[in-house]
Amino acid sequence: MLIARVIGTAISTIKDEKLTGRKLLICRQTDEKGVASGKPFVAIDTVDAGEGDLVLTAAGSSARQTTITKDTPVDAVIMAVIDHLEVDGAVVWKKE
Amino acid sequence: MLIARVIGTAISTIKDEKLTGRKLLICRQTDEKGVASGKPFVAIDTVDAGEGDLVLTAAGSSARQTTITKDTPVDAVIMAVIDHLEVDGAVVWKKE
Amino acid sequence: MLIARVIGTAISTIKDEKLTGRKLLICRQTDEKGVASGKPFVAIDTVDAGEGDLVLTAAGSSARQTTITKDTPVDAVIMAVIDHLEVDGAVVWKKE
Amino acid sequence: MLIARVIGTAISTIKDEKLTGRKLLICRQTDEKGVASGKPFVAIDTVDAGEGDLVLTAAGSSARQTTITKDTPVDAVIMAVIDHLEVDGAVVWKKE
Amino acid sequence: MLIARVIGTAISTIKDEKLTGRKLLICRQTDEKGVASGKPFVAIDTVDAGEGDLVLTAAGSSARQTTITKDTPVDAVIMAVIDHLEVDGAVVWKKE
């Protein structure tokens, strides 16, 4: 899974019908301290994540292993909201 | 999913028979403001996307989860046309 | 799918038995003008592609969605030979 | 598989229910000498790996081929703890 | 598939039980002349490859399409030993 920050939302009217009602969140990968880098990607939200949250995203066929994304043409899913990240026994990022 | 811009079309006569009649669109990944970068890739259109549109593309086995691409040797599908993109509560890209 | 140029052939005697008789073509990804860059990869040919051709390749499980590659340990397949590529209404690459 | 070092832990309360009780370890890819580089990723532990261990991780659908990760929305799994790595007949990394 | 050189072996005692008895070879991707670059990865051997060999590796779910790797948590498999590589009608690499 990638550590990613939710930075926004993609709005689409014309889309695969299985996406109806789904929240399409724009994410950027971060390091273990929550510092974002690289191009954004869009993931389906399954855990009521919000803008600013640090989340875990699963890609590929693994993105379809939730009740919300089953058999759906999506290749990235948010499946966890991060509380905090620990490295070497110290908390290096914490949700406010 | 990637945010991508449709920049053109690939025309092929000799191809897997399951691709007959399918639209092969050339896309380039963009950031959340619609600025393209990186090499182009080709995705099957399932939402009647057109050149210049900003779209979402799904890759891998997820690209085969539409009625058009089922059991087809394609690894990228356009499954949504983007209306607008919001970051930090502001619209950062909007379809004209 | 990637746009790629066929640059050569890989010859192997000791291989998975399901690969017997299959053509293993060396490809390099190109941009929409046919300019190659990056490391080569090897794809199974299913459309009688030849050296110099510009082709489309599908990766991952999608590479196994042809009669030739079904249940075979291959992760890249050539599933189309490109006739021409159009960008902004102009032909930017054409098969000779 | 990637060679990776376990550098920490991700703690999450709000997550897919199939992740309950699973250990989410933060990893960084290393070379054959155990030198880490690149962005961290998070993998499910299935072999009781600990911080500092060098491990092998499998990605994508392969990450779901363990009893712990079956049908779970995860795309990376730790499936081996490395004892030592040999290159050219010499041990280039060894677990302490 | 990637063209890769086998550079060594990973030894692991604590691992998924389906990996018991399997050879975990350390590989590095090469170009068509056999010049290696980039980070190493580990692949399961299914063709009795040896150190120094140039091989083809298949990734993702395709890595599980051999009798040795079926239903196993591995995402890379060596499925061919390369005899020689031809580009533009000339042999650019040959097994000694």
Side-chain angles (χ1 to χ4, degrees), chain D residues 1-3 29-32 37-38 46-47 56-62 65-67 77 79-89 95, chain E residues 7-19 24 26 28 39-44 51 60-61 63-64 70-76:
Chain D
M1 281 70 71
L2 300 182
I3 305 169
Q29 188 178 356
T30 76
D31 63 16
E32 72 277 17
S37 62
T46 66
V47 288
L56 293 180
T57 63
S61 59
S62 299
Q65 308 294 315
T66 74
T67 49
V77 69
M79 23 61 79
V81 176
I82 297 174
D83 295 336
H84 64 272
L85 297 169
E86 287 183 18
V87 172
D88 290 336
K95 186 172 179 172
Chain E
I7 65 164
T9 307
I11 289 86
S12 166
T13 308
I14 302 172
K15 59 190 164 192
D16 189 275
E17 61 182 6
K18 285 179 267 188
L19 289 171
L24 294 158
I26 308 173
R28 283 185 78 203
K39 291 183 195 175
F41 62 95
V42 171
I44 297 283
E51 214 164 306
S61 59
R64 302 195 309 270
K70 193 169 185 295
D71 300 329
T72 300
V74 298
D75 64 3

Coordinates of all heavy atoms in Angstrom, one line a residue, chain D residues 1-3 29-32 37-38 46-47 56-62 65-67 77 79-89 95, chain E residues 7-19 24 26 28 39-44 51 60-61 63-64 70-76:
Chain D
M1 N 9.8 -10.3 -6.4 CA 9.7 -9.7 -5.0 C 10.7 -8.6 -4.9 O 11.8 -8.7 -5.5 CB 9.9 -10.8 -4.0 CG 8.7 -11.8 -3.8 SD 8.3 -12.8 -5.3 CE 9.7 -14.0 -5.3
L2 N 10.4 -7.7 -4.0 CA 11.4 -6.7 -3.7 C 12.1 -7.1 -2.4 O 11.6 -7.8 -1.5 CB 10.7 -5.4 -3.4 CG 9.9 -4.8 -4.6 CD1 9.3 -3.4 -4.2 CD2 10.8 -4.6 -5.8
I3 N 13.4 -6.7 -2.3 CA 14.1 -6.8 -1.1 C 13.8 -5.5 -0.3 O 14.0 -4.4 -0.9 CB 15.6 -6.9 -1.3 CG1 15.9 -8.1 -2.2 CG2 16.4 -7.0 0.0 CD1 17.4 -8.2 -2.7
Q29 N 12.4 -0.3 0.0 CA 13.1 -1.2 -0.9 C 14.6 -0.9 -0.6 O 15.1 0.2 -0.4 CB 12.8 -0.9 -2.4 CG 13.4 -1.9 -3.3 CD 13.1 -1.7 -4.8 OE1 12.3 -0.8 -5.1 NE2 13.7 -2.5 -5.6
T30 N 15.4 -2.0 -0.7 CA 16.8 -1.9 -0.6 C 17.5 -2.6 -1.8 O 16.8 -3.3 -2.5 CB 17.4 -2.6 0.7 OG1 17.4 -4.0 0.5 CG2 16.5 -2.3 1.9
D31 N 18.8 -2.4 -1.9 CA 19.5 -3.2 -2.9 C 20.0 -4.5 -2.2 O 19.6 -4.8 -1.1 CB 20.7 -2.4 -3.5 CG 21.7 -2.0 -2.4 OD1 21.7 -2.6 -1.3 OD2 22.5 -1.1 -2.7
E32 N 20.9 -5.2 -2.9 CA 21.3 -6.5 -2.4 C 22.2 -6.5 -1.2 O 22.5 -7.5 -0.5 CB 21.9 -7.4 -3.5 CG 23.3 -6.9 -3.9 CD 23.2 -5.8 -4.9 OE1 22.2 -5.1 -5.1 OE2 24.3 -5.5 -5.6
S37 N 16.5 2.8 -0.4 CA 16.3 4.1 -1.1 C 14.9 4.1 -1.6 O 14.2 3.1 -1.6 CB 17.3 4.1 -2.3 OG 17.0 3.0 -3.2
G38 N 14.5 5.3 -2.0 CA 13.1 5.4 -2.5 C 12.1 5.6 -1.4 O 12.4 5.6 -0.2
T46 N 3.1 -11.4 7.3 CA 2.5 -12.7 7.5 C 3.5 -13.7 8.1 O 3.3 -14.9 8.2 CB 2.0 -13.3 6.1 OG1 3.2 -13.5 5.3 CG2 1.0 -12.4 5.4
V47 N 4.7 -13.1 8.4 CA 5.8 -14.0 8.9 C 6.4 -13.5 10.2 O 7.6 -13.8 10.5 CB 6.9 -14.2 7.8 CG1 6.4 -15.0 6.6 CG2 7.4 -12.8 7.3
L56 N 11.3 -10.1 2.1 CA 10.9 -10.1 0.7 C 9.4 -9.7 0.7 O 8.6 -10.2 1.6 CB 11.0 -11.5 0.1 CG 12.4 -12.0 -0.2 CD1 12.4 -13.3 -0.8 CD2 13.2 -11.0 -1.0
T57 N 9.0 -8.8 -0.2 CA 7.6 -8.4 -0.3 C 7.1 -8.8 -1.7 O 7.8 -8.6 -2.7 CB 7.4 -6.9 -0.1 OG1 8.1 -6.2 -1.1 CG2 7.9 -6.5 1.3
A58 N 5.8 -9.3 -1.8 CA 5.2 -9.6 -3.1 C 4.1 -8.6 -3.2 O 3.3 -8.2 -2.3 CB 4.6 -11.0 -3.1
A59 N 3.9 -8.1 -4.5 CA 2.9 -7.0 -4.7 C 1.7 -7.5 -5.6 O 1.8 -8.6 -6.1 CB 3.6 -5.9 -5.4
G60 N 0.7 -6.7 -5.7 CA -0.4 -7.0 -6.5 C -1.3 -8.1 -6.0 O -1.4 -8.4 -4.8
S61 N -1.9 -8.9 -7.0 CA -2.8 -10.0 -6.6 C -2.0 -11.1 -5.9 O -2.5 -11.8 -5.1 CB -3.4 -10.6 -7.8 OG -2.5 -11.0 -8.8
S62 N -0.7 -11.1 -6.1 CA 0.2 -12.1 -5.4 C 0.2 -11.9 -3.9 O 0.4 -12.8 -3.1 CB 1.6 -12.1 -6.0 OG 1.6 -12.4 -7.4
Q65 N -2.2 -14.1 -1.8 CA -2.1 -15.6 -1.9 C -1.6 -16.2 -0.6 O -0.9 -17.2 -0.6 CB -1.2 -16.0 -3.0 CG -1.5 -15.4 -4.4 CD -2.8 -15.9 -5.0 OE1 -3.1 -17.1 -4.9 NE2 -3.6 -14.9 -5.5
T66 N -2.0 -15.6 0.5 CA -1.6 -16.2 1.8 C -3.0 -16.3 2.6 O -3.9 -15.6 2.3 CB -0.7 -15.3 2.6 OG1 -1.4 -14.2 3.2 CG2 0.5 -14.8 1.8
T67 N -3.0 -17.2 3.6 CA -4.2 -17.4 4.4 C -4.6 -16.1 5.1 O -5.8 -15.8 5.3 CB -4.0 -18.5 5.4 OG1 -2.8 -18.3 6.1 CG2 -3.9 -19.9 4.7
V77 N 2.6 -7.7 0.5 CA 2.7 -8.6 1.7 C 4.1 -9.0 1.9 O 4.9 -9.1 1.0 CB 1.8 -9.9 1.4 CG1 2.5 -10.8 0.3 CG2 1.7 -10.8 2.6
M79 N 6.3 -11.9 2.8 CA 6.1 -13.4 2.8 C 7.4 -14.1 3.1 O 7.4 -15.3 3.1 CB 5.5 -13.8 1.4 CG 5.7 -13.0 0.2 SD 7.5 -12.7 -0.2 CE 7.8 -14.2 -1.1
A80 N 8.5 -13.4 3.4 CA 9.7 -14.1 3.8 C 10.6 -13.1 4.6 O 10.7 -11.9 4.3 CB 10.5 -14.6 2.6
V81 N 11.3 -13.6 5.6 CA 12.4 -12.8 6.3 C 13.7 -13.4 5.8 O 13.9 -14.6 5.7 CB 12.3 -13.1 7.8 CG1 13.4 -12.3 8.5 CG2 11.0 -12.6 8.4
I82 N 14.5 -12.5 5.3 CA 15.8 -12.9 4.7 C 16.8 -13.2 5.8 O 17.1 -12.4 6.7 CB 16.3 -11.7 3.8 CG1 15.3 -11.5 2.6 CG2 17.7 -12.1 3.2 CD1 15.7 -10.3 1.7
D83 N 17.5 -14.4 5.6 CA 18.6 -14.7 6.5 C 19.9 -14.1 6.0 O 20.6 -13.4 6.7 CB 18.8 -16.3 6.5 CG 17.6 -17.0 7.1 OD1 16.9 -16.4 7.9 OD2 17.4 -18.2 6.8
H84 N 20.2 -14.4 4.7 CA 21.3 -13.7 4.1 C 21.2 -13.7 2.6 O 20.4 -14.4 2.0 CB 22.7 -14.4 4.5 CG 22.9 -15.8 4.1 ND1 22.5 -16.8 4.8 CD2 23.5 -16.3 3.0 CE1 22.8 -18.0 4.2 NE2 23.4 -17.6 3.0
L85 N 22.0 -12.8 2.0 CA 22.0 -12.6 0.5 C 23.3 -12.9 0.0 O 24.3 -12.4 0.5 CB 21.6 -11.2 0.2 CG 20.2 -10.7 0.6 CD1 20.0 -9.2 0.5 CD2 19.1 -11.5 -0.2
E86 N 23.4 -13.7 -1.1 CA 24.7 -14.1 -1.7 C 24.8 -13.6 -3.1 O 23.8 -13.8 -3.9 CB 24.8 -15.6 -1.8 CG 25.1 -16.3 -0.4 CD 25.3 -17.8 -0.6 OE1 25.5 -18.2 -1.7 OE2 25.1 -18.5 0.4
V87 N 25.9 -13.0 -3.5 CA 26.1 -12.5 -4.8 C 27.6 -13.0 -5.2 O 28.5 -12.8 -4.4 CB 26.0 -11.0 -4.9 CG1 26.5 -10.5 -6.3 CG2 24.6 -10.5 -4.7
D88 N 27.7 -13.6 -6.4 CA 29.0 -14.1 -6.8 C 29.6 -15.0 -5.8 O 30.9 -14.9 -5.5 CB 30.0 -12.9 -7.1 CG 29.5 -12.1 -8.4 OD1 28.8 -12.7 -9.2 OD2 29.9 -10.9 -8.5
G89 N 28.8 -15.8 -5.1 CA 29.3 -16.7 -4.2 C 29.7 -16.2 -2.8 O 30.2 -16.9 -1.9
K95 N 21.7 -11.4 8.3 CA 20.9 -11.0 9.5 C 21.8 -11.1 10.7 O 22.4 -12.2 10.9 CB 19.7 -11.9 9.6 CG 18.7 -11.4 10.7 CD 17.4 -12.2 10.7 CE 16.6 -11.7 11.8 NZ 15.2 -12.2 11.7
Chain E
I7 N 22.1 -12.6 -10.5 CA 23.3 -12.1 -9.8 C 23.6 -12.8 -8.5 O 24.6 -12.7 -7.9 CB 23.4 -10.6 -9.6 CG1 22.3 -10.1 -8.6 CG2 23.3 -9.9 -10.9 CD1 22.6 -8.7 -8.1
G8 N 22.6 -13.5 -8.0 CA 22.8 -14.2 -6.7 C 21.5 -14.9 -6.1 O 20.6 -15.2 -6.9
T9 N 21.6 -15.2 -4.8 CA 20.5 -16.0 -4.2 C 20.1 -15.3 -2.9 O 21.0 -14.8 -2.2 CB 21.0 -17.4 -3.9 OG1 21.6 -17.9 -5.1 CG2 19.9 -18.3 -3.4
A10 N 18.8 -15.4 -2.6 CA 18.3 -15.0 -1.3 C 18.0 -16.2 -0.5 O 17.3 -17.1 -1.0 CB 17.1 -14.1 -1.4
I11 N 18.5 -16.2 0.8 CA 18.2 -17.4 1.6 C 17.3 -17.0 2.8 O 17.6 -16.0 3.5 CB 19.6 -18.0 2.2 CG1 20.4 -18.6 1.1 CG2 19.3 -19.0 3.3 CD1 21.2 -17.7 0.3
S12 N 16.2 -17.7 3.0 CA 15.2 -17.4 4.0 C 14.7 -18.7 4.6 O 14.4 -19.6 4.0 CB 14.1 -16.7 3.3 OG 13.0 -16.6 4.1
T13 N 14.7 -18.7 5.9 CA 14.2 -19.8 6.7 C 12.7 -19.6 7.0 O 11.9 -20.4 6.8 CB 15.0 -20.0 8.0 OG1 16.4 -20.1 7.7 CG2 14.5 -21.3 8.7
I14 N 12.4 -18.4 7.5 CA 11.0 -18.0 7.9 C 10.3 -17.4 6.7 O 10.6 -16.3 6.2 CB 11.0 -17.0 9.0 CG1 11.8 -17.6 10.2 CG2 9.6 -16.6 9.4 CD1 12.0 -16.6 11.4
K15 N 9.4 -18.2 6.1 CA 8.8 -17.8 4.9 C 7.5 -18.5 4.7 O 7.2 -19.4 5.4 CB 9.7 -18.0 3.7 CG 10.0 -19.5 3.5 CD 11.1 -19.7 2.4 CE 11.7 -21.1 2.6 NZ 12.9 -21.3 1.8
D16 N 6.6 -18.0 3.8 CA 5.4 -18.7 3.5 C 5.7 -20.1 3.1 O 6.6 -20.4 2.4 CB 4.7 -18.0 2.3 CG 3.3 -18.5 2.1 OD1 3.1 -19.5 1.4 OD2 2.3 -17.9 2.6
E17 N 4.8 -21.0 3.7 CA 5.1 -22.5 3.5 C 5.1 -22.9 2.1 O 5.8 -23.9 1.7 CB 4.1 -23.3 4.4 CG 2.7 -23.1 3.9 CD 1.7 -23.9 4.7 OE1 2.1 -24.5 5.7 OE2 0.5 -23.9 4.4
K18 N 4.4 -22.2 1.2 CA 4.4 -22.6 -0.2 C 5.7 -22.3 -0.9 O 5.9 -22.8 -2.0 CB 3.2 -21.9 -0.9 CG 1.9 -22.5 -0.6 CD 0.7 -21.8 -1.3 CE 0.1 -20.7 -0.4 NZ -1.1 -20.1 -0.9
L19 N 6.6 -21.6 -0.2 CA 7.9 -21.3 -0.8 C 9.0 -22.4 -0.4 O 10.1 -22.3 -0.9 CB 8.4 -19.9 -0.3 CG 7.7 -18.7 -0.9 CD1 8.1 -17.5 -0.2 CD2 7.9 -18.7 -2.4
L24 N 15.2 -18.8 -4.7 CA 14.9 -17.4 -4.8 C 16.1 -16.7 -5.3 O 17.1 -16.5 -4.6 CB 14.6 -16.9 -3.4 CG 13.3 -17.4 -2.7 CD1 13.4 -17.2 -1.2 CD2 12.1 -16.7 -3.2
I26 N 18.3 -13.6 -7.0 CA 18.4 -12.2 -7.1 C 18.7 -11.8 -8.6 O 19.6 -12.4 -9.2 CB 19.5 -11.6 -6.2 CG1 19.3 -12.1 -4.8 CG2 19.5 -10.1 -6.2 CD1 20.4 -11.8 -3.8
R28 N 18.8 -8.6 -11.8 CA 18.8 -7.2 -12.2 C 18.4 -7.1 -13.6 O 18.9 -7.8 -14.5 CB 20.2 -6.6 -12.0 CG 20.5 -6.3 -10.5 CD 21.8 -5.6 -10.4 NE 21.7 -4.2 -10.7 CZ 22.7 -3.4 -11.1 NH1 23.9 -3.9 -11.3 NH2 22.5 -2.1 -11.3
K39 N 17.7 -1.3 -9.5 CA 17.7 -2.1 -8.3 C 17.4 -3.6 -8.5 O 16.7 -3.9 -9.5 CB 16.6 -1.6 -7.3 CG 16.8 -0.2 -6.8 CD 15.7 0.2 -5.8 CE 15.8 1.7 -5.6 NZ 14.6 2.1 -4.7
P40 N 18.0 -4.4 -7.7 CA 17.7 -5.9 -7.8 C 16.3 -6.2 -7.4 O 15.7 -5.5 -6.7 CB 18.7 -6.5 -6.9 CG 19.0 -5.5 -5.8 CD 18.8 -4.1 -6.5
F41 N 15.8 -7.3 -7.9 CA 14.6 -7.9 -7.4 C 14.8 -9.4 -7.3 O 15.8 -9.9 -7.8 CB 13.4 -7.6 -8.4 CG 13.5 -8.1 -9.8 CD1 13.0 -9.3 -10.2 CD2 14.2 -7.4 -10.7 CE1 13.1 -9.8 -11.5 CE2 14.4 -7.8 -12.0 CZ 13.8 -9.0 -12.4
V42 N 13.9 -10.1 -6.7 CA 14.0 -11.5 -6.4 C 12.9 -12.3 -7.2 O 11.7 -11.9 -7.1 CB 13.9 -11.8 -4.9 CG1 13.9 -13.3 -4.7 CG2 15.2 -11.2 -4.2
A43 N 13.3 -13.3 -7.9 CA 12.3 -14.1 -8.7 C 12.5 -15.6 -8.4 O 13.6 -16.0 -8.1 CB 12.5 -13.9 -10.2
I44 N 11.3 -16.3 -8.5 CA 11.4 -17.7 -8.3 C 11.9 -18.4 -9.5 O 11.4 -18.1 -10.6 CB 9.9 -18.3 -8.0 CG1 9.4 -17.7 -6.7 CG2 9.9 -19.8 -8.0 CD1 9.9 -18.3 -5.4
E51 N 23.5 -18.5 -11.7 CA 24.1 -17.2 -11.6 C 24.9 -16.9 -12.9 O 25.6 -17.7 -13.4 CB 25.1 -17.2 -10.4 CG 25.1 -15.8 -9.7 CD 25.7 -15.9 -8.3 OE1 25.2 -16.7 -7.5 OE2 26.6 -15.1 -8.0
G60 N 3.8 -10.1 -11.6 CA 2.4 -10.0 -11.3 C 1.7 -11.4 -11.3 O 2.4 -12.4 -11.0
S61 N 0.4 -11.4 -11.6 CA -0.3 -12.7 -11.6 C 0.3 -13.6 -12.6 O 0.1 -14.8 -12.4 CB -1.8 -12.4 -11.8 OG -2.0 -11.8 -13.1
A63 N 3.2 -14.4 -12.9 CA 4.3 -15.1 -12.2 C 3.7 -16.4 -11.6 O 4.5 -17.3 -11.2 CB 5.0 -14.3 -11.2
R64 N 2.4 -16.5 -11.5 CA 1.8 -17.7 -10.8 C 1.3 -18.7 -11.8 O 0.6 -19.6 -11.4 CB 0.7 -17.2 -9.9 CG 1.1 -16.2 -8.8 CD 0.1 -16.1 -7.7 NE -1.2 -15.8 -8.1 CZ -1.7 -14.6 -8.3 NH1 -1.0 -13.5 -8.1 NH2 -3.0 -14.5 -8.7
K70 N 2.0 -21.8 -8.8 CA 0.5 -21.7 -8.7 C 0.1 -21.4 -7.3 O 0.6 -22.1 -6.3 CB -0.1 -23.0 -9.2 CG -1.5 -23.0 -9.4 CD -2.0 -24.3 -10.2 CE -3.5 -24.2 -10.5 NZ -4.3 -24.2 -9.3
D71 N -0.8 -20.4 -7.1 CA -1.4 -20.1 -5.8 C -0.3 -19.7 -4.7 O -0.6 -19.8 -3.5 CB -2.2 -21.3 -5.2 CG -3.4 -21.6 -6.2 OD1 -3.9 -20.7 -6.8 OD2 -3.8 -22.8 -6.2
T72 N 0.8 -19.3 -5.2 CA 1.9 -18.9 -4.3 C 2.1 -17.4 -4.2 O 1.9 -16.7 -5.2 CB 3.2 -19.6 -4.8 OG1 3.0 -21.0 -4.8 CG2 4.4 -19.3 -3.9
P73 N 2.4 -16.9 -3.0 CA 2.6 -15.4 -2.9 C 3.9 -14.9 -3.5 O 4.8 -14.5 -2.8 CB 2.5 -15.2 -1.4 CG 3.0 -16.4 -0.8 CD 2.5 -17.5 -1.7
V74 N 4.1 -15.1 -4.8 CA 5.3 -14.6 -5.5 C 4.8 -13.7 -6.7 O 3.8 -14.0 -7.3 CB 6.2 -15.7 -6.0 CG1 6.7 -16.5 -4.8 CG2 5.5 -16.6 -7.0
D75 N 5.6 -12.6 -6.9 CA 5.2 -11.7 -8.0 C 6.2 -11.6 -9.1 O 6.1 -10.7 -10.0 CB 4.8 -10.4 -7.5 CG 6.0 -9.7 -6.8 OD1 7.1 -10.2 -6.8 OD2 5.8 -8.6 -6.3
A76 N 7.2 -12.6 -9.1 CA 8.2 -12.6 -10.2 C 8.7 -14.0 -10.4 O 9.0 -14.7 -9.4 CB 9.3 -11.6 -9.9

